Coordinates of all heavy atoms in Angstrom, one line a residue:
M788 N -36.2 69.4 158.1 CA -34.8 69.9 158.1 C -34.1 69.5 159.4 O -33.0 69.9 159.5 CB -34.9 71.4 158.0 CG -35.3 72.0 156.6 SD -34.4 71.4 155.3 CE -33.4 72.8 154.9
A789 N -34.8 68.9 160.3 CA -34.3 68.6 161.6 C -33.0 67.8 161.5 O -32.1 67.9 162.3 CB -35.3 68.0 162.5
G790 N -33.0 66.8 160.5 CA -31.9 65.9 160.4 C -30.7 66.5 159.7 O -29.6 66.0 159.7
I791 N -30.8 67.6 159.0 CA -29.8 68.3 158.3 C -29.1 69.3 159.2 O -29.8 70.2 159.7 CB -30.3 68.9 157.0 CG1 -31.0 67.9 156.1 CG2 -29.1 69.6 156.2 CD1 -31.7 68.4 154.9
P792 N -27.8 69.3 159.4 CA -27.1 70.3 160.2 C -27.3 71.7 159.6 O -27.3 71.9 158.4 CB -25.7 69.9 160.1 CG -25.6 68.5 159.7 CD -26.9 68.3 158.9
S793 N -27.5 72.6 160.5 CA -27.7 74.0 160.0 C -26.5 74.5 159.3 O -26.6 75.4 158.4 CB -28.0 74.9 161.2 OG -27.0 75.0 162.1
A794 N -25.3 74.0 159.6 CA -24.1 74.4 158.8 C -24.3 74.0 157.3 O -23.9 74.8 156.5 CB -22.9 73.7 159.4
A795 N -24.8 72.9 157.1 CA -25.0 72.4 155.7 C -26.1 73.2 155.0 O -26.0 73.6 153.8 CB -25.3 70.9 155.6
V796 N -27.1 73.6 155.7 CA -28.2 74.4 155.1 C -27.7 75.8 154.8 O -27.9 76.3 153.6 CB -29.4 74.5 156.1 CG1 -30.5 75.5 155.6 CG2 -30.0 73.1 156.4
A797 N -26.9 76.4 155.7 CA -26.4 77.7 155.4 C -25.4 77.7 154.3 O -25.5 78.6 153.3 CB -25.8 78.3 156.7
A798 N -24.5 76.8 154.3 CA -23.5 76.7 153.2 C -24.1 76.4 151.9 O -23.8 77.0 150.9 CB -22.4 75.7 153.6
G799 N -25.1 75.5 152.0 CA -25.8 75.1 150.7 C -26.6 76.3 150.2 O -26.7 76.4 148.9
G800 N -27.1 77.2 151.0 CA -27.8 78.3 150.5 C -26.9 79.3 149.8 O -27.3 79.9 148.8
L801 N -25.7 79.5 150.3 CA -24.8 80.4 149.7 C -24.3 79.8 148.4 O -24.3 80.5 147.3 CB -23.6 80.7 150.6 CG -23.9 81.6 151.8 CD1 -22.9 81.4 152.9 CD2 -24.1 83.0 151.4
V802 N -23.9 78.5 148.4 CA -23.4 77.9 147.2 C -24.5 77.7 146.2 O -24.4 78.0 145.0 CB -22.7 76.6 147.5 CG1 -22.3 75.8 146.2 CG2 -21.5 76.8 148.4
G803 N -25.7 77.2 146.6 CA -26.8 77.0 145.8 C -27.3 78.2 145.2 O -27.7 78.3 144.0
G804 N -27.4 79.3 146.0 CA -27.9 80.6 145.5 C -27.0 81.1 144.3 O -27.5 81.6 143.3
H805 N -25.7 81.0 144.5 CA -24.8 81.5 143.5 C -25.0 80.6 142.2 O -25.0 81.1 141.1 CB -23.4 81.4 144.0 CG -22.4 81.8 142.9 ND1 -22.3 83.0 142.4 CD2 -21.5 81.0 142.3 CE1 -21.3 83.0 141.5 NE2 -20.8 81.8 141.4
G806 N -25.0 79.3 142.4 CA -25.1 78.4 141.3 C -26.4 78.6 140.5 O -26.4 78.7 139.3
V807 N -27.5 78.7 141.2 CA -28.8 79.0 140.5 C -28.8 80.3 139.7 O -29.2 80.3 138.6 CB -30.0 78.9 141.5 CG1 -31.2 79.4 140.9 CG2 -30.2 77.5 142.0
A808 N -28.3 81.3 140.4 CA -28.2 82.6 139.7 C -27.3 82.6 138.5 O -27.6 83.1 137.4 CB -27.7 83.7 140.7
R809 N -26.2 81.9 138.6 CA -25.2 81.8 137.5 C -25.7 81.0 136.3 O -25.6 81.4 135.2 CB -23.9 81.2 138.0 CG -22.8 81.3 137.0 CD -21.5 80.9 137.7 NE -20.4 81.0 136.7 CZ -19.4 81.8 136.9 NH1 -19.2 82.4 138.0 NH2 -18.4 81.8 136.0
W810 N -26.3 79.8 136.7 CA -26.7 78.9 135.6 C -28.0 79.3 134.9 O -28.2 79.0 133.8 CB -26.7 77.5 136.1 CG -25.3 77.0 136.3 CD1 -24.3 77.1 135.4 CD2 -24.8 76.3 137.4 NE1 -23.1 76.6 136.0 CE2 -23.4 76.1 137.2 CE3 -25.3 75.9 138.6 CZ2 -22.6 75.4 138.1 CZ3 -24.5 75.3 139.5 CH2 -23.2 75.0 139.3
T811 N -28.9 79.9 135.7 CA -30.2 80.3 135.1 C -30.1 81.7 134.5 O -31.0 82.1 133.8 CB -31.3 80.3 136.1 OG1 -31.1 81.2 137.1 CG2 -31.5 78.9 136.7
K812 N -29.1 82.5 134.9 CA -28.9 83.9 134.5 C -30.1 84.7 135.1 O -30.5 85.8 134.5 CB -28.8 84.0 133.0 CG -27.6 83.3 132.5 CD -27.2 83.8 131.2 CE -26.1 83.0 130.5 NZ -25.1 82.5 131.3
K813 N -30.7 84.3 136.2 CA -31.8 85.0 136.9 C -31.3 85.2 138.3 O -31.5 84.3 139.2 CB -33.1 84.2 136.8 CG -33.6 84.0 135.4 CD -34.9 83.4 135.4 CE -35.4 83.0 134.0 NZ -35.6 83.9 133.1
R814 N -30.8 86.4 138.6 CA -30.3 86.7 139.9 C -31.4 86.6 141.0 O -31.1 86.2 142.1 CB -29.7 88.1 139.9 CG -28.4 88.2 139.1 CD -27.9 89.5 139.0 NE -27.2 89.8 140.3 CZ -26.6 90.9 140.7 NH1 -26.5 91.9 139.8 NH2 -26.0 91.0 141.8
Q815 N -32.6 86.9 140.6 CA -33.7 86.9 141.6 C -34.0 85.4 142.0 O -34.3 85.2 143.2 CB -35.0 87.4 141.0 CG -34.9 88.9 140.6 CD -34.4 89.1 139.1 OE1 -33.9 88.2 138.5 NE2 -34.5 90.3 138.7
L816 N -33.8 84.5 141.1 CA -34.0 83.1 141.5 C -32.9 82.6 142.4 O -33.2 81.9 143.4 CB -34.1 82.2 140.2 CG -34.5 80.8 140.3 CD1 -35.9 80.7 141.0 CD2 -34.6 80.1 139.0
G817 N -31.7 83.0 142.2 CA -30.6 82.7 143.1 C -30.8 83.4 144.5 O -30.6 82.8 145.5
G818 N -31.4 84.6 144.5 CA -31.7 85.3 145.7 C -32.8 84.6 146.5 O -32.7 84.5 147.7
A819 N -33.7 84.0 145.8 CA -34.8 83.2 146.5 C -34.2 82.0 147.1 O -34.5 81.7 148.3 CB -35.8 82.8 145.5
V820 N -33.3 81.3 146.5 CA -32.6 80.1 147.1 C -31.9 80.6 148.3 O -31.9 79.9 149.4 CB -31.7 79.4 146.0 CG1 -30.8 78.4 146.7 CG2 -32.5 78.8 144.9
L821 N -31.1 81.7 148.2 CA -30.4 82.2 149.3 C -31.3 82.5 150.5 O -31.0 82.2 151.6 CB -29.6 83.4 148.9 CG -28.7 84.1 149.9 CD1 -27.4 83.4 150.0 CD2 -28.5 85.6 149.5
A822 N -32.4 83.2 150.2 CA -33.3 83.6 151.3 C -34.0 82.4 151.9 O -34.1 82.4 153.2 CB -34.4 84.5 150.7
V823 N -34.5 81.4 151.2 CA -35.1 80.3 151.7 C -34.2 79.5 152.6 O -34.5 79.1 153.7 CB -35.8 79.4 150.6 CG1 -36.2 78.0 151.2 CG2 -36.9 80.1 150.0
A824 N -33.0 79.3 152.1 CA -32.0 78.5 153.0 C -31.6 79.3 154.2 O -31.5 78.8 155.3 CB -30.7 78.2 152.1
G825 N -31.5 80.6 154.1 CA -31.2 81.5 155.2 C -32.3 81.4 156.3 O -32.0 81.3 157.5
A826 N -33.5 81.4 155.8 CA -34.7 81.4 156.8 C -34.7 80.0 157.5 O -34.9 79.9 158.7 CB -36.0 81.6 156.0
A827 N -34.4 78.9 156.7 CA -34.4 77.6 157.3 C -33.3 77.5 158.3 O -33.5 76.9 159.4 CB -34.3 76.5 156.2
A828 N -32.1 78.0 158.0 CA -31.0 77.9 158.9 C -31.3 78.8 160.1 O -31.0 78.3 161.3 CB -29.7 78.4 158.2
A829 N -31.9 79.9 159.9 CA -32.2 80.8 161.1 C -33.1 80.1 162.1 O -33.0 80.3 163.3 CB -32.7 82.1 160.6
Q830 N -34.1 79.4 161.5 CA -35.0 78.7 162.4 C -34.3 77.6 163.2 O -34.5 77.5 164.4 CB -36.1 78.1 161.6 CG -37.1 77.3 162.4 CD -38.3 76.7 161.5 OE1 -38.1 76.6 160.3 NE2 -39.3 76.4 162.2
Q831 N -33.4 76.9 162.6 CA -32.6 75.9 163.3 C -31.7 76.6 164.3 O -31.5 76.1 165.4 CB -31.7 75.1 162.3 CG -32.6 74.2 161.4 CD -31.7 73.4 160.5 OE1 -30.8 73.9 159.8 NE2 -31.9 72.1 160.4
W832 N -31.0 77.7 163.9 CA -30.2 78.4 164.9 C -30.9 78.8 166.1 O -30.5 78.7 167.2 CB -29.5 79.6 164.2 CG -28.5 79.2 163.1 CD1 -27.8 78.1 163.0 CD2 -28.2 80.0 162.0 NE1 -27.0 78.1 161.9 CE2 -27.3 79.3 161.2 CE3 -28.7 81.2 161.5 CZ2 -26.8 79.8 160.0 CZ3 -28.2 81.7 160.3 CH2 -27.2 81.0 159.6
R833 N -32.1 79.3 165.9 CA -33.0 79.8 167.0 C -33.3 78.7 167.9 O -33.3 78.8 169.2 CB -34.2 80.5 166.5 CG -34.7 81.6 167.2 CD -35.9 82.4 166.6 NE -36.5 81.9 165.4 CZ -36.2 82.4 164.2 NH1 -35.3 83.3 164.0 NH2 -36.8 81.9 163.1
Q834 N -33.7 77.5 167.4 CA -34.1 76.4 168.2 C -32.9 75.8 168.9 O -33.1 75.4 170.1 CB -34.7 75.3 167.3 CG -36.0 75.6 166.7 CD -36.5 74.6 165.7 OE1 -35.7 73.8 165.1 NE2 -37.8 74.7 165.3
R835 N -31.8 75.8 168.3 CA -30.6 75.1 168.9 C -29.7 76.0 169.8 O -29.1 75.5 170.7 CB -29.7 74.5 167.8 CG -30.4 73.4 167.0 CD -29.6 72.9 165.9 NE -30.4 71.9 165.1 CZ -30.0 71.4 164.0 NH1 -28.9 71.8 163.4 NH2 -30.8 70.6 163.4
A836 N -29.7 77.3 169.5 CA -28.7 78.1 170.2 C -29.4 79.4 170.8 O -28.7 80.2 171.4 CB -27.6 78.5 169.3
G837 N -30.6 79.7 170.5 CA -31.3 80.9 171.0 C -31.3 82.0 170.0 O -30.6 82.0 169.0
G838 N -32.1 83.0 170.4 CA -32.3 84.2 169.5 C -31.1 85.0 169.2 O -30.8 85.5 168.1
K839 N -30.3 85.3 170.3 CA -29.1 86.1 170.1 C -28.1 85.4 169.1 O -27.5 86.1 168.3 CB -28.4 86.4 171.4 CG -29.2 87.4 172.2 CD -28.5 87.8 173.5 CE -29.3 88.8 174.3 NZ -28.7 89.2 175.5
A840 N -27.9 84.2 169.4 CA -26.9 83.4 168.5 C -27.5 83.4 167.1 O -26.7 83.5 166.1 CB -26.7 82.0 169.0
A841 N -28.8 83.2 166.9 CA -29.4 83.1 165.6 C -29.2 84.5 164.9 O -28.9 84.5 163.7 CB -30.9 82.8 165.7
G842 N -29.4 85.5 165.6 CA -29.2 86.9 165.0 C -27.7 87.1 164.6 O -27.5 87.6 163.5
A843 N -26.8 86.6 165.4 CA -25.4 86.8 165.0 C -25.0 85.9 163.8 O -24.3 86.4 162.9 CB -24.5 86.4 166.2
L844 N -25.6 84.7 163.8 CA -25.3 83.8 162.7 C -25.9 84.4 161.4 O -25.4 84.3 160.3 CB -25.7 82.4 163.0 CG -24.8 81.7 164.0 CD1 -25.5 80.4 164.4 CD2 -23.4 81.4 163.4
M845 N -27.1 84.9 161.5 CA -27.8 85.5 160.3 C -27.0 86.7 159.8 O -26.9 86.9 158.6 CB -29.2 85.9 160.6 CG -30.0 86.4 159.4 SD -29.9 85.3 158.0 CE -31.1 84.1 158.3
A846 N -26.5 87.5 160.7 CA -25.6 88.6 160.3 C -24.4 88.1 159.6 O -24.0 88.7 158.6 CB -25.2 89.5 161.5
A847 N -23.8 87.0 160.1 CA -22.7 86.4 159.4 C -23.0 85.9 158.0 O -22.3 86.1 157.1 CB -22.1 85.3 160.2
Y848 N -24.2 85.3 157.9 CA -24.7 84.8 156.6 C -24.9 85.9 155.6 O -24.4 85.8 154.5 CB -26.1 84.1 156.9 CG -26.7 83.4 155.7 CD1 -26.2 82.2 155.3 CD2 -27.8 83.9 155.0 CE1 -26.8 81.5 154.2 CE2 -28.4 83.3 154.0 CZ -27.9 82.0 153.6 OH -28.5 81.4 152.5
V849 N -25.5 87.0 156.0 CA -25.7 88.2 155.1 C -24.3 88.8 154.8 O -24.1 89.2 153.6 CB -26.7 89.2 155.7 CG1 -26.7 90.5 154.9 CG2 -28.0 88.6 155.9
A850 N -23.5 88.9 155.8 CA -22.1 89.5 155.5 C -21.3 88.6 154.6 O -20.6 89.2 153.8 CB -21.4 89.7 156.9
A851 N -21.5 87.3 154.7 CA -20.8 86.4 153.8 C -21.2 86.6 152.4 O -20.4 86.7 151.4 CB -21.0 85.0 154.2
F852 N -22.5 86.7 152.2 CA -23.1 87.0 150.9 C -22.5 88.3 150.3 O -22.0 88.3 149.2 CB -24.6 87.0 150.9 CG -25.2 87.5 149.7 CD1 -25.2 86.8 148.5 CD2 -25.9 88.8 149.6 CE1 -25.8 87.3 147.3 CE2 -26.4 89.3 148.5 CZ -26.4 88.5 147.3
A853 N -22.6 89.3 151.1 CA -22.1 90.6 150.6 C -20.6 90.6 150.4 O -20.1 91.2 149.4 CB -22.5 91.7 151.6
G854 N -19.9 90.0 151.3 CA -18.4 90.0 151.2 C -17.9 89.1 150.1 O -16.8 89.3 149.6
S855 N -18.7 88.2 149.6 CA -18.2 87.3 148.5 C -18.1 88.1 147.2 O -17.3 87.7 146.4 CB -19.2 86.1 148.3 OG -20.4 86.6 147.8
H856 N -18.8 89.2 147.1 CA -18.8 90.0 145.8 C -17.4 90.6 145.7 O -16.8 90.5 144.6 CB -19.9 90.9 145.8 CG -21.2 90.3 145.6 ND1 -21.9 89.7 146.6 CD2 -22.0 90.0 144.5 CE1 -23.0 89.1 146.2 NE2 -23.1 89.3 144.9
P857 N -16.9 91.4 146.6 CA -15.6 92.0 146.4 C -14.5 91.0 146.5 O -13.5 91.1 145.8 CB -15.5 93.0 147.6 CG -16.5 92.7 148.5 CD -17.6 92.0 147.8
L858 N -14.7 89.9 147.3 CA -13.7 88.9 147.3 C -13.6 88.2 146.0 O -12.4 87.8 145.5 CB -14.0 87.9 148.4 CG -13.1 86.7 148.6 CD1 -11.7 87.2 149.0 CD2 -13.6 85.8 149.7
A859 N -14.7 88.1 145.3 CA -14.7 87.4 143.9 C -13.8 88.1 142.9 O -13.2 87.5 142.0 CB -16.1 87.3 143.4
K860 N -13.7 89.4 143.1 CA -12.8 90.2 142.2 C -11.3 89.9 142.4 O -10.5 90.1 141.5 CB -13.1 91.7 142.4 CG -14.4 92.1 141.9 CD -14.7 93.6 142.2 CE -16.1 93.9 141.7 NZ -16.5 95.3 141.8
R861 N -11.0 89.4 143.5 CA -9.6 89.0 143.8 C -9.3 87.6 143.5 O -8.2 87.3 143.1 CB -9.3 89.3 145.3 CG -9.3 90.8 145.6 CD -9.0 91.0 147.1 NE -9.0 92.4 147.4 CZ -8.0 93.2 147.5 NH1 -6.8 92.7 147.3 NH2 -8.1 94.5 147.8
V862 N -10.2 86.7 143.9 CA -9.9 85.2 143.8 C -10.8 84.5 142.8 O -10.6 83.3 142.6 CB -10.0 84.6 145.2 CG1 -9.0 85.2 146.1 CG2 -11.4 84.6 145.7
G863 N -11.8 85.1 142.3 CA -12.7 84.4 141.4 C -14.0 84.1 142.1 O -14.1 84.1 143.4
A864 N -15.1 84.0 141.3 CA -16.4 83.8 141.9 C -16.6 82.5 142.8 O -17.0 82.6 143.9 CB -17.5 83.9 140.8
W865 N -16.3 81.4 142.2 CA -16.5 80.2 142.9 C -15.6 80.0 144.1 O -16.1 79.6 145.2 CB -16.4 78.9 142.0 CG -17.6 78.7 141.2 CD1 -17.7 78.9 139.8 CD2 -18.9 78.3 141.6 NE1 -19.0 78.6 139.4 CE2 -19.7 78.3 140.5 CE3 -19.4 78.0 142.9 CZ2 -21.1 77.9 140.6 CZ3 -20.7 77.7 143.0 CH2 -21.6 77.6 141.9
P866 N -14.3 80.4 144.0 CA -13.5 80.3 145.3 C -14.0 81.2 146.4 O -14.0 80.9 147.5 CB -12.1 80.7 144.8 CG -12.1 80.4 143.3 CD -13.5 80.6 142.9
A867 N -14.5 82.4 146.0 CA -15.1 83.3 147.0 C -16.3 82.7 147.6 O -16.4 82.8 148.9 CB -15.4 84.7 146.3
V868 N -17.2 82.2 146.8 CA -18.4 81.6 147.4 C -18.1 80.4 148.3 O -18.7 80.3 149.4 CB -19.4 81.2 146.2 CG1 -20.6 80.4 146.8 CG2 -19.9 82.4 145.5
F869 N -17.2 79.5 147.8 CA -16.9 78.4 148.7 C -16.2 78.8 150.0 O -16.4 78.2 151.0 CB -16.0 77.4 147.9 CG -16.8 76.5 146.9 CD1 -16.4 76.5 145.6 CD2 -17.9 75.8 147.3 CE1 -17.1 75.7 144.7 CE2 -18.6 75.1 146.4 CZ -18.2 75.0 145.1
G870 N -15.4 79.9 149.9 CA -14.7 80.4 151.0 C -15.6 80.9 152.1 O -15.5 80.6 153.3
V871 N -16.5 81.8 151.7 CA -17.5 82.4 152.6 C -18.4 81.3 153.1 O -18.8 81.3 154.3 CB -18.2 83.6 152.1 CG1 -17.2 84.7 151.7 CG2 -19.1 83.3 150.9
A872 N -18.8 80.4 152.3 CA -19.7 79.3 152.7 C -19.0 78.5 153.8 O -19.7 78.1 154.8 CB -20.1 78.4 151.6
G873 N -17.7 78.2 153.6 CA -17.0 77.5 154.7 C -16.9 78.2 156.0 O -17.1 77.6 157.1
V874 N -16.7 79.5 155.9 CA -16.7 80.3 157.2 C -18.0 80.3 157.9 O -18.1 80.1 159.1 CB -16.2 81.7 156.9 CG1 -16.4 82.6 158.1 CG2 -14.8 81.7 156.4
V875 N -19.1 80.4 157.1 CA -20.4 80.4 157.7 C -20.7 79.0 158.3 O -21.3 78.9 159.4 CB -21.5 80.9 156.7 CG1 -22.9 80.6 157.2 CG2 -21.3 82.3 156.4
A876 N -20.4 78.0 157.6 CA -20.6 76.6 158.0 C -19.9 76.4 159.3 O -20.4 75.8 160.3 CB -20.2 75.6 157.0
A877 N -18.6 76.8 159.4 CA -17.8 76.6 160.6 C -18.4 77.3 161.8 O -18.5 76.8 162.9 CB -16.4 77.0 160.4
A878 N -18.8 78.6 161.6 CA -19.5 79.3 162.6 C -20.8 78.7 163.1 O -21.1 78.6 164.3 CB -19.7 80.8 162.2
S879 N -21.6 78.2 162.1 CA -22.8 77.6 162.5 C -22.6 76.3 163.3 O -23.3 76.0 164.2 CB -23.6 77.3 161.2 OG -24.8 76.7 161.4
W880 N -21.6 75.5 162.8 CA -21.4 74.3 163.6 C -20.9 74.6 165.0 O -21.4 74.0 165.9 CB -20.3 73.5 162.8 CG -19.9 72.2 163.6 CD1 -20.6 71.1 163.6 CD2 -18.9 72.1 164.5 NE1 -20.0 70.2 164.4 CE2 -18.9 70.8 165.0 CE3 -17.9 72.9 165.0 CZ2 -18.1 70.3 166.0 CZ3 -17.0 72.4 166.0 CH2 -17.1 71.2 166.4
A881 N -20.0 75.6 165.1 CA -19.4 75.9 166.4 C -20.5 76.4 167.4 O -20.5 76.1 168.6 CB -18.3 76.9 166.3
V882 N -21.4 77.2 166.9 CA -22.4 77.9 167.7 C -23.7 77.0 167.9 O -24.2 77.0 169.0 CB -22.8 79.3 167.1 CG1 -24.0 79.9 167.9 CG2 -21.6 80.2 167.1
A883 N -24.1 76.3 166.9 CA -25.4 75.6 167.0 C -25.3 74.1 166.8 O -26.0 73.4 167.6 CB -26.4 76.2 166.0
D884 N -24.6 73.6 165.9 CA -24.7 72.2 165.6 C -23.9 71.2 166.5 O -24.3 70.1 166.7 CB -24.2 71.9 164.1 CG -25.1 72.5 163.1 OD1 -26.3 72.8 163.4 OD2 -24.7 72.8 162.0
R885 N -22.8 71.7 167.0 CA -22.0 70.7 167.8 C -22.6 70.4 169.1 O -22.3 69.4 169.7 CB -20.6 71.3 168.1 CG -20.5 72.4 169.0 CD -19.1 72.8 169.3 NE -19.1 74.0 170.1 CZ -18.0 74.5 170.7 NH1 -16.9 73.9 170.5 NH2 -18.1 75.6 171.3
R886 N -23.6 71.1 169.6 CA -24.3 70.8 170.8 C -25.2 69.6 170.6 O -25.5 68.9 171.6 CB -25.2 72.0 171.2 CG -24.4 73.2 171.5 CD -25.4 74.4 171.8 NE -24.6 75.6 172.0 CZ -25.0 76.6 172.6 NH1 -26.3 76.7 173.0 NH2 -24.3 77.7 172.8
G887 N -25.7 69.3 169.4 CA -26.6 68.2 169.2 C -25.9 67.0 168.9 O -25.8 66.0 169.1

């Protein structure tokens, strides 16, 4: 995963988790995708920006997942997921990826 920016891993986890859950109709499988990508991103964040930054970015990742649900009621599921994924990707890039 070293060659893949953490911003892409985190955004991919949010989008991929939603897609897997939606297309397989198995929320647990989507949650697994979300969790694996989150753990991979967290490891990269820790290596690139330190523990405090990794904790803050992980909090943003979890908040994005949670926040996408009420946002989806206003704008639709996919726009909500893409929106929060973009925010997390931008934060990840600003905090961890642009240094490398």
Side-chain angles (χ1 to χ4, degrees):
M788 294 299 259
I791 302 172
S793 64
V796 174
L801 289 162
V802 173
H805 175 69
V807 167
R809 186 171 184 125
W810 289 313
T811 65
K812 301 201 186 322
K813 297 186 189 295
R814 295 179 74 179
Q815 300 87 349
L816 192 55
V820 170
L821 181 80
V823 168
Q830 182 179 15
Q831 289 180 313
W832 294 329
R833 215 174 4 263
Q834 290 172 345
R835 295 177 184 172
K839 287 184 182 180
L844 288 167
M845 184 50 84
Y848 185 78
V849 172
F852 168 70
S855 69
H856 292 82
L858 181 61
K860 292 179 182 183
R861 294 180 182 259
V862 300
W865 281 111
V868 170
F869 284 127
V871 300
V874 169
V875 169
S879 181
W880 178 83
V882 173
D884 292 338
R885 73 176 171 165
R886 297 178 184 196

